[in-house]
Amino acid sequence: MTTQAPAAPTHLFHWVLTLSCIDGPGIVHAVSGAIVAARGNITESQQFTSLDTGRFFMRLQVESPAGRSELEEALAPVTDRWNMSWHLDEVGRPLRTLVLASTAGHCVNDMLFRQRAGQLPVEIPLVLSNHGTLRDLVDFYGVPFESAAVTSPEAKAAFEARVLEAVDEHDIELVVLARYMQILSPELCAALEGRCINIHHSFLPGFKGANPYRQAHARGVKLIGATAHFVTSDLDEGPIIEQNVVRVDHSRSPAELVAIGQDEESRTLSQAVKWFAERRVLVDGARTIIFR
Amino acid sequence: MTTQAPAAPTHLFHWVLTLSCIDGPGIVHAVSGAIVAARGNITESQQFTSLDTGRFFMRLQVESPAGRSELEEALAPVTDRWNMSWHLDEVGRPLRTLVLASTAGHCVNDMLFRQRAGQLPVEIPLVLSNHGTLRDLVDFYGVPFESAAVTSPEAKAAFEARVLEAVDEHDIELVVLARYMQILSPELCAALEGRCINIHHSFLPGFKGANPYRQAHARGVKLIGATAHFVTSDLDEGPIIEQNVVRVDHSRSPAELVAIGQDEESRTLSQAVKWFAERRVLVDGARTIIFR
Amino acid sequence: MTTQAPAAPTHLFHWVLTLSCIDGPGIVHAVSGAIVAARGNITESQQFTSLDTGRFFMRLQVESPAGRSELEEALAPVTDRWNMSWHLDEVGRPLRTLVLASTAGHCVNDMLFRQRAGQLPVEIPLVLSNHGTLRDLVDFYGVPFESAAVTSPEAKAAFEARVLEAVDEHDIELVVLARYMQILSPELCAALEGRCINIHHSFLPGFKGANPYRQAHARGVKLIGATAHFVTSDLDEGPIIEQNVVRVDHSRSPAELVAIGQDEESRTLSQAVKWFAERRVLVDGARTIIFR
Amino acid sequence: MTTQAPAAPTHLFHWVLTLSCIDGPGIVHAVSGAIVAARGNITESQQFTSLDTGRFFMRLQVESPAGRSELEEALAPVTDRWNMSWHLDEVGRPLRTLVLASTAGHCVNDMLFRQRAGQLPVEIPLVLSNHGTLRDLVDFYGVPFESAAVTSPEAKAAFEARVLEAVDEHDIELVVLARYMQILSPELCAALEGRCINIHHSFLPGFKGANPYRQAHARGVKLIGATAHFVTSDLDEGPIIEQNVVRVDHSRSPAELVAIGQDEESRTLSQAVKWFAERRVLVDGARTIIFR
């Protein structure tokens, strides 16, 4: 809803509010009442009640002259009463994102190009890689790049320590594995839970693990795909955010499947990152809710 | 949201409420307040504000022990204040639907099969056709069938009069042109405005008019499609409800395109009818809003 | 290629020839030479050499005044020299097809409707089911229907014996499991090898086994699908013929996934049967070659 | 087909041969005979006879120790006898490609990234633009870039003269309009006939001309798309090479449709260029044949 024409131009904040709690009657009315109290107009609203977990999820976009503290004050009785998990942010604020990569550049290129074109609301203070291959590409986009080989357990531990240090240093909100070809340690998975997205180059749950295109060729599937999912310590089992497929036929070699699949990987990962940055991805147990 | 466990089992109605009005602040809160007042819980909610027309649109599903009159009474102050267009119905009530057909049976077969399988919430008291071809098929599903040739202006007028009579007689809420191959008169279009859906066998706005598959072949398109849209007196220009496409290549003859396209026609039409019957289709000027 | 205008109209046969052999030089020239010798014109031709198995595969459509014996005589030196597996048939001859079903009617309805509409080149002398549910539907299409409960090992053995008897009796070329919900015995799988097609209600290799839609819901996938494949004694592991997917979101219950998936099951199975009947499906080890 | 193991390793050329002629009997046998005579093995073969134009089209890939002159000598009697249009090239040779652009970078970025990644068999000696916007991007890929404003008829004539000069200078085989936002003069269209590909940002024939996304929004279509086609003097009417679509809904503004559509534009154009460079695109009157 739009505001009534004000006497004098007032700055309008554009807020995005996400929340979840145990479901019960009256939640929508209470939340919308708090927003009215904070002089807000709801411009976008989505809700979902999970029959699996009994939880209620909501995402709102709100225009209001109210700043953060006024809005939080109005919401406090509601979020307290229903014991809500909630997050309040400004629409369009770029999410601080750390990218991990290896040698394949298609996902990194896609993210950086979209970011610069204004289509991906992230800022990327750093790309970390276990290879130097992508330095020139990342340099071109003016993003700092560091690489360190991961060829021993010690080197892996050092690399992961650098990841956590960078997360702290840059106040990172999202870590993206853009075809980073190392398995994260359980400790790192735990530390990044709910804020680390991986792109797997198959249509999960088919073809988990290594060489999915080779597996797909051997099995003779007629569609290949890509899956963006949250990273958990259970390899390739984290909550799925987005998936895409593309048709192939018998004539494609494993190497051709790799090339064909890269388009799906890039766009699937960039889509997942965009939704996450826009606060459209909520986690409901082993599943995600996507408020598109 | 679900209800709190009641002391004794109470019958819960499941309502679907759609509404639209000029946009303004406070609408969501007012509507949700009326629903709380009528002891209702919102189980599904979608909203949209059209920048083209300045109108606000909303669709709600509500569980409540309140019957129609109690709910209407609670809503009256809100619908009055905002001068709303609104509709209240029970979720799942079958829509009274009249089907017009000619000789091609794929769309009729698809609708009747889904209806009987419980996947299409309509009841079909009558199929009218300008050919007798589909009598056996319609008989099999136990639906009355009438046919009359439309080979002269007089016969066409008589057929259209029978359509309007049947609409009255059966209190018809939706007329479906399931590959009915006659152009409706402007008068009939006007009489059925907003409650008559046609399936056009092309991806509109490409290939309007007759023989779209022949046109598609001549133009050498690589995808063919189907479009379900509201019927208006402006041929093939009514608001679009749903579209689908399928890939083809140079080797397909016009006749093969016809066969390939039939799948898209059937599923596109059945999908549009399902959404309409579920009150998920709202009209915003020349466009539709689909609350899936 | 078309023929030169003949002095007098001659009946032209339309042949489809499929063949495979160990790859080597000169095969295409030899085959096309035999066809020229039999006064044939190649109207459609596809070939593929499998790097996995080293085999060469070819499918040809040929117009010729030559009958079967003349064509076979011309081909004999070629098929002998390369030790070919080959099959010669008339284009469009309906394949004798036995359908097994249980209670779900969507695949059976789709096949029967397409068959009658002239879009599926099969003839179906019999539908066998372990339930009586679909009798009316099958009756409507004028196809004989038999049902027998499969509730004990003895009943299952009797049912399978009836299948084999029917295969003999009707000279069956293809057995279709149209959502037949019993696992075939290894003996029956072996007896029907290469001529039995199943529709699995998931995107294989994901969600093998029972209740794939429930599994898909639990895993939170964003696309669900269907897979038509040859039946082997290794459950859900036979060569894949065709797959399709459709997008779903978090709001769908397992029951809704079932309903949504049925469209993909029907069209995937009918497509696979059509290609098989047109001799477009060749088996290359664990994979299929589809000459569309 | 592969060769028999040779006594000593021989260099094998990998040829791609495309040809077309008036259809008639014996062509396949004659062509395959010439290839056998030139010690070649056919590794890929596709053919099509157009019922619209009566022409026969063929594309072959051939491995052979024979060089160009030996192969041409063997083919000469065949190409003469049937008065064939034909082209012989080496598989994988990069096509000399001139790119024209304006301010939008997504198509140029996609082509340059794929080219460098080895997925697009072209070499790009020059990008010409009527704006300077993309200079940095093109520089990064090490490709020469020239820009000149096109703000008057004289400037347009000068720009087009530079295009033709560059075509000569670099022996250009393909000109790609990568969202070049000027209409080519009829003279330039004629000069580049059959070797100039444009990406149109709609699903043609819908929404020809300017601002297709605005048109698509106004019409309320449920899918938007992109079309790669040969440029002719008849605007947006040249033979279509490839098309893709993506689903959208009522909530998308024209500006969002632009962003969503860019993915389809990039991949559709790159796909068309790839097929053209691989000699998989043949023109049959107003239509294309794509030998994928």
Side-chain angles (χ1 to χ4, degrees):
Chain A
M1 290 165 280
T2 58
T3 53
Q4 290 172 309
T10 310
H11 175 70
L12 284 181
F13 293 93
H14 202 177
W15 297 105
V16 54
L17 172 67
T18 51
L19 57 87
S20 78
C21 59
I22 302 293
D23 195 20
I27 298 175
V28 173
H29 188 57
V31 171
S32 61
I35 284 163
V36 168
R39 302 176 289 157
N41 298 308
I42 299 170
T43 58
E44 198 175 321
S45 167
Q46 286 158 296
Q47 66 173 77
F48 177 66
T49 298
S50 169
L51 296 177
D52 299 301
T53 61
R55 288 187 75 80
F56 172 83
F57 298 84
M58 194 170 205
R59 181 188 187 275
L60 294 164
Q61 290 192 192
V62 175
E63 284 180 345
S64 169
R68 175 177 289 273
S69 58
E70 179 183 344
L71 201 52
E72 288 186 351
E73 204 170 305
L75 285 165
V78 180
T79 56
D80 284 357
R81 176 175 160 202
W82 273 280
N83 194 25
M84 289 176 173
S85 300
W86 61 280
H87 184 91
L88 182 67
D89 214 330
E90 284 194 74
V91 171
R93 182 182 67 76
L95 203 75
R96 291 178 300 276
T97 302
L98 174 67
V99 174
L100 306 194
S102 291
T103 57
H106 54 288
C107 287
V108 171
N109 179 64
D110 195 71
M111 285 182 62
L112 292 175
F113 182 82
R114 287 179 202 259
Q115 192 275 333
R116 194 170 68 169
Q119 292 172 17
L120 198 58
V122 298
E123 57 182 47
I124 302 174
L126 183 61
V127 173
L128 287 176
S129 178
N130 60 331
H131 291 273
T133 318
L134 302 179
R135 179 177 302 277
D136 284 355
L137 175 67
V138 176
D139 279 356
F140 168 66
Y141 284 99
V143 173
F145 178 90
E146 293 177 20
S147 72
V150 176
T151 48
S152 68
E154 294 72 27
K156 179 166 178 169
F159 191 93
E160 295 203 343
R162 177 61 189 124
V163 169
L164 286 174
E165 185 187 70
V167 165
D168 260 15
E169 182 185 336
H170 299 285
D171 203 7
I172 290 297
E173 300 167 285
L174 173 65
V175 176
V176 176
L177 309 188
R179 297 299 309 276
Y180 177 65
M181 301 303 280
Q182 297 282 324
I183 295 171
L184 302 194
S185 70
E187 294 73 29
L188 189 56
C189 291
L192 301 178
E193 190 188 339
R195 51 178 179 150
C196 181
I197 296 177
N198 180 48
I199 182 70
H200 185 77
H201 42 320
S202 91
F203 187 76
L204 290 174
F207 310 129
K208 284 180 249 190
N211 273 328
Y213 289 119
R214 186 168 299 280
Q215 293 181 59
H217 176 81
R219 187 66 184 86
V221 291
K222 302 304 182 186
L223 299 166
I224 59 169
T227 303
H229 63 98
F230 283 111
V231 172
T232 63
S233 58
D234 200 354
L235 186 66
D236 299 335
E237 288 287 350
I240 292 170
I241 301 169
E242 176 62 334
Q243 304 187 285
N244 282 295
V245 294
V246 63
R247 190 163 289 277
V248 294
D249 70 18
H250 59 270
S251 69
R252 301 304 182 177
S253 67
E256 288 175 311
L257 295 184
V258 168
I260 292 169
Q262 290 188 354
D263 281 7
E264 304 310 310
E265 296 167 26
S266 301
R267 70 190 187 103
T268 302
L269 180 60
S270 291
Q271 181 67 78
V273 169
K274 182 169 190 284
W275 283 336
F276 186 89
E278 295 173 349
R279 305 279 171 194
R280 297 182 183 280
V281 182
L282 286 81
V283 175
D284 178 37
R287 311 170 75 236
T288 62
I289 294 156
I290 311 291
F291 285 138
R292 289 204 266 189
Chain B
M1 290 164 278
T2 58
T3 52
Q4 290 173 309
T10 309
H11 174 69
L12 284 180
F13 293 93
H14 202 179
W15 297 105
V16 54
L17 172 66
T18 51
L19 57 88
S20 78
C21 59
I22 303 293
D23 195 18
I27 298 175
V28 173
H29 188 56
V31 171
S32 60
I35 284 162
V36 168
R39 302 175 291 156
N41 298 309
I42 298 171
T43 58
E44 198 174 323
S45 168
Q46 286 158 298
Q47 66 174 79
F48 176 67
T49 297
S50 168
L51 296 178
D52 298 300
T53 61
R55 289 188 74 79
F56 173 82
F57 298 85
M58 193 169 207
R59 181 188 185 277
L60 295 163
Q61 290 192 191
V62 175
E63 284 181 345
S64 170
R68 175 178 289 271
S69 58
E70 179 183 346
L71 200 51
E72 288 186 351
E73 204 170 306
L75 286 165
V78 180
T79 57
D80 284 357
R81 176 175 161 202
W82 273 280
N83 193 26
M84 290 176 172
S85 300
W86 62 279
H87 184 92
L88 182 67
D89 215 330
E90 284 194 74
V91 171
R93 182 183 66 78
L95 203 74
R96 291 179 299 275
T97 303
L98 173 68
V99 174
L100 305 195
S102 292
T103 57
H106 54 289
C107 287
V108 171
N109 179 66
D110 195 72
M111 285 182 63
L112 293 175
F113 182 82
R114 288 178 202 259
Q115 192 276 333
R116 194 170 69 169
Q119 292 172 17
L120 198 58
V122 298
E123 57 182 47
I124 302 175
L126 183 62
V127 173
L128 287 177
S129 177
N130 61 331
H131 290 273
T133 319
L134 303 179
R135 180 177 301 276
D136 284 356
L137 175 67
V138 176
D139 278 357
F140 168 66
Y141 284 99
V143 173
F145 178 89
E146 295 176 20
S147 72
V150 176
T151 48
S152 68
E154 294 71 28
K156 179 166 179 170
F159 191 94
E160 295 203 343
R162 177 63 188 124
V163 169
L164 286 175
E165 185 187 70
V167 165
D168 260 15
E169 183 184 334
H170 298 286
D171 204 7
I172 290 297
E173 299 168 285
L174 173 65
V175 176
V176 177
L177 309 189
R179 295 300 308 277
Y180 176 64
M181 301 303 279
Q182 297 283 324
I183 296 172
L184 302 195
S185 69
E187 294 72 29
L188 190 56
C189 291
L192 300 178
E193 191 188 340
R195 50 177 179 151
C196 182
I197 295 177
N198 181 48
I199 182 72
H200 185 77
H201 42 319
S202 91
F203 187 75
L204 289 174
F207 311 128
K208 284 180 250 189
N211 273 328
Y213 290 119
R214 187 167 299 280
Q215 293 180 58
H217 176 82
R219 187 67 183 87
V221 291
K222 302 303 184 186
L223 300 167
I224 58 170
T227 303
H229 63 97
F230 283 111
V231 172
T232 63
S233 57
D234 201 354
L235 186 67
D236 298 337
E237 289 287 349
I240 291 170
I241 301 168
E242 175 63 334
Q243 303 188 286
N244 281 294
V245 294
V246 62
R247 191 163 289 276
V248 295
D249 69 18
H250 59 270
S251 69
R252 300 304 182 179
S253 67
E256 287 175 311
L257 296 183
V258 168
I260 292 168
Q262 290 188 354
D263 281 7
E264 304 310 311
E265 296 168 27
S266 302
R267 71 190 187 104
T268 302
L269 180 60
S270 292
Q271 181 67 78
V273 169
K274 183 169 189 284
W275 284 335
F276 186 88
E278 294 173 348
R279 304 279 170 195
R280 297 183 182 279
V281 182
L282 285 79
V283 175
D284 177 37
R287 311 169 74 236
T288 62
I289 294 157
I290 311 291
F291 285 137
R292 289 202 267 187
Chain C
M1 289 166 279
T2 57
T3 52
Q4 289 171 309
T10 310
H11 174 69
L12 283 181
F13 293 94
H14 202 177
W15 296 105
V16 53
L17 172 67
T18 51
L19 57 88
S20 79
C21 59
I22 303 293
D23 195 18
I27 298 175
V28 173
H29 189 57
V31 171
S32 61
I35 284 163
V36 168
R39 301 175 291 156
N41 298 308
I42 298 170
T43 58
E44 198 175 322
S45 168
Q46 286 157 297
Q47 66 172 78
F48 176 67
T49 297
S50 168
L51 296 177
D52 299 300
T53 60
R55 289 189 74 81
F56 172 83
F57 297 85
M58 193 170 207
R59 182 186 184 277
L60 294 165
Q61 289 190 193
V62 174
E63 285 181 344
S64 169
R68 175 177 288 271
S69 59
E70 180 183 344
L71 200 51
E72 288 187 351
E73 204 170 306
L75 286 165
V78 180
T79 56
D80 283 359
R81 177 175 160 202
W82 274 278
N83 194 24
M84 290 175 172
S85 299
W86 62 279
H87 184 91
L88 183 67
D89 215 329
E90 285 194 74
V91 170
R93 182 182 68 76
L95 203 74
R96 290 178 301 274
T97 302
L98 174 68
V99 175
L100 305 195
S102 292
T103 58
H106 54 288
C107 287
V108 171
N109 179 65
D110 195 72
M111 285 182 63
L112 292 175
F113 182 82
R114 288 179 202 259
Q115 192 275 332
R116 194 171 69 169
Q119 291 171 18
L120 198 58
V122 298
E123 58 183 46
I124 303 175
L126 183 61
V127 173
L128 286 177
S129 177
N130 60 332
H131 291 273
T133 318
L134 302 179
R135 180 178 301 277
D136 284 355
L137 175 68
V138 176
D139 278 358
F140 168 65
Y141 285 99
V143 173
F145 178 89
E146 293 177 21
S147 72
V150 176
T151 48
S152 68
E154 294 72 28
K156 178 166 179 171
F159 191 93
E160 295 202 344
R162 177 62 188 124
V163 169
L164 286 174
E165 185 187 71
V167 165
D168 260 16
E169 183 185 333
H170 299 286
D171 204 6
I172 291 297
E173 299 167 285
L174 173 65
V175 176
V176 176
L177 310 189
R179 295 300 309 276
Y180 177 65
M181 301 303 279
Q182 297 282 325
I183 296 172
L184 302 195
S185 69
E187 294 72 30
L188 189 56
C189 292
L192 301 178
E193 190 188 339
R195 52 178 179 150
C196 182
I197 295 177
N198 181 47
I199 182 71
H200 185 77
H201 42 319
S202 91
F203 187 75
L204 290 174
F207 310 128
K208 283 180 247 188
N211 273 328
Y213 290 118
R214 186 168 300 278
Q215 294 181 58
H217 175 81
R219 187 66 183 87
V221 291
K222 301 304 183 186
L223 300 167
I224 58 170
T227 304
H229 64 96
F230 283 111
V231 172
T232 63
S233 56
D234 201 354
L235 187 65
D236 299 335
E237 289 287 351
I240 292 170
I241 301 168
E242 175 62 335
Q243 302 187 288
N244 282 294
V245 294
V246 62
R247 190 163 291 276
V248 294
D249 69 18
H250 59 270
S251 69
R252 301 303 182 179
S253 67
E256 287 175 311
L257 295 184
V258 168
I260 292 168
Q262 290 188 354
D263 281 6
E264 303 310 312
E265 296 167 27
S266 301
R267 70 189 186 105
T268 303
L269 180 59
S270 291
Q271 182 66 79
V273 169
K274 183 169 190 284
W275 283 335
F276 186 88
E278 294 174 348
R279 304 280 170 195
R280 296 183 183 279
V281 182
L282 286 80
V283 176
D284 177 38
R287 311 170 75 237
T288 63
I289 293 156
I290 311 291
F291 285 137
R292 289 203 267 188
Chain D
M1 288 165 280
T2 58
T3 51
Q4 289 172 310
T10 310
H11 174 69
L12 282 182
F13 293 94
H14 201 177
W15 297 105
V16 53
L17 172 67
T18 51
L19 57 88
S20 78
C21 59
I22 303 293
D23 195 19
I27 298 175
V28 173
H29 188 58
V31 171
S32 60
I35 285 162
V36 168
R39 300 175 292 155
N41 297 309
I42 299 170
T43 58
E44 198 174 322
S45 167
Q46 286 158 298
Q47 66 172 78
F48 177 66
T49 297
S50 169
L51 295 179
D52 299 299
T53 60
R55 289 187 74 80
F56 172 84
F57 297 85
M58 194 170 205
R59 180 187 186 277
L60 295 164
Q61 289 191 192
V62 175
E63 285 181 344
S64 169
R68 176 178 287 272
S69 59
E70 180 183 344
L71 200 51
E72 288 187 351
E73 204 170 305
L75 286 164
V78 180
T79 57
D80 284 358
R81 176 175 160 202
W82 273 280
N83 193 26
M84 290 174 172
S85 299
W86 61 280
H87 184 91
L88 183 67
D89 215 329
E90 284 194 74
V91 171
R93 181 182 67 77
L95 203 74
R96 291 179 300 274
T97 302
L98 173 67
V99 174
L100 305 195
S102 292
T103 58
H106 54 288
C107 287
V108 171
N109 180 64
D110 196 73
M111 284 182 63
L112 292 174
F113 182 82
R114 287 177 202 260
Q115 192 275 333
R116 194 170 70 169
Q119 291 172 19
L120 198 58
V122 297
E123 58 181 47
I124 302 176
L126 183 61
V127 173
L128 286 177
S129 178
N130 60 330
H131 290 273
T133 319
L134 302 179
R135 180 178 301 278
D136 283 356
L137 175 67
V138 176
D139 278 357
F140 168 67
Y141 284 99
V143 172
F145 178 89
E146 293 177 21
S147 72
V150 176
T151 49
S152 68
E154 294 72 28
K156 179 166 177 169
F159 191 94
E160 295 203 343
R162 177 62 188 122
V163 170
L164 285 174
E165 184 186 72
V167 166
D168 260 17
E169 183 184 334
H170 299 286
D171 204 6
I172 290 297
E173 299 168 285
L174 173 65
V175 176
V176 176
L177 309 189
R179 295 300 309 276
Y180 177 66
M181 301 302 280
Q182 296 283 325
I183 296 172
L184 302 194
S185 69
E187 294 72 29
L188 189 56
C189 290
L192 301 178
E193 191 189 338
R195 52 180 179 148
C196 181
I197 295 176
N198 181 47
I199 182 71
H200 184 78
H201 42 320
S202 91
F203 187 75
L204 290 175
F207 310 128
K208 285 180 246 189
N211 274 328
Y213 290 118
R214 187 167 300 278
Q215 294 180 57
H217 176 81
R219 187 66 184 87
V221 291
K222 302 303 182 187
L223 300 166
I224 58 170
T227 304
H229 64 97
F230 283 111
V231 172
T232 62
S233 57
D234 201 354
L235 187 66
D236 299 335
E237 288 287 351
I240 292 170
I241 301 169
E242 176 62 334
Q243 304 188 285
N244 282 294
V245 293
V246 63
R247 190 163 290 274
V248 294
D249 69 19
H250 59 271
S251 69
R252 300 305 182 176
S253 67
E256 287 175 311
L257 295 184
V258 168
I260 292 168
Q262 290 187 355
D263 281 7
E264 304 310 311
E265 296 167 27
S266 301
R267 69 189 188 105
T268 303
L269 180 59
S270 291
Q271 181 66 78
V273 169
K274 182 168 190 283
W275 282 337
F276 186 88
E278 294 173 349
R279 305 279 170 196
R280 296 183 183 279
V281 182
L282 287 80
V283 175
D284 177 38
R287 312 170 73 237
T288 62
I289 293 156
I290 311 291
F291 284 138
R292 290 203 266 187

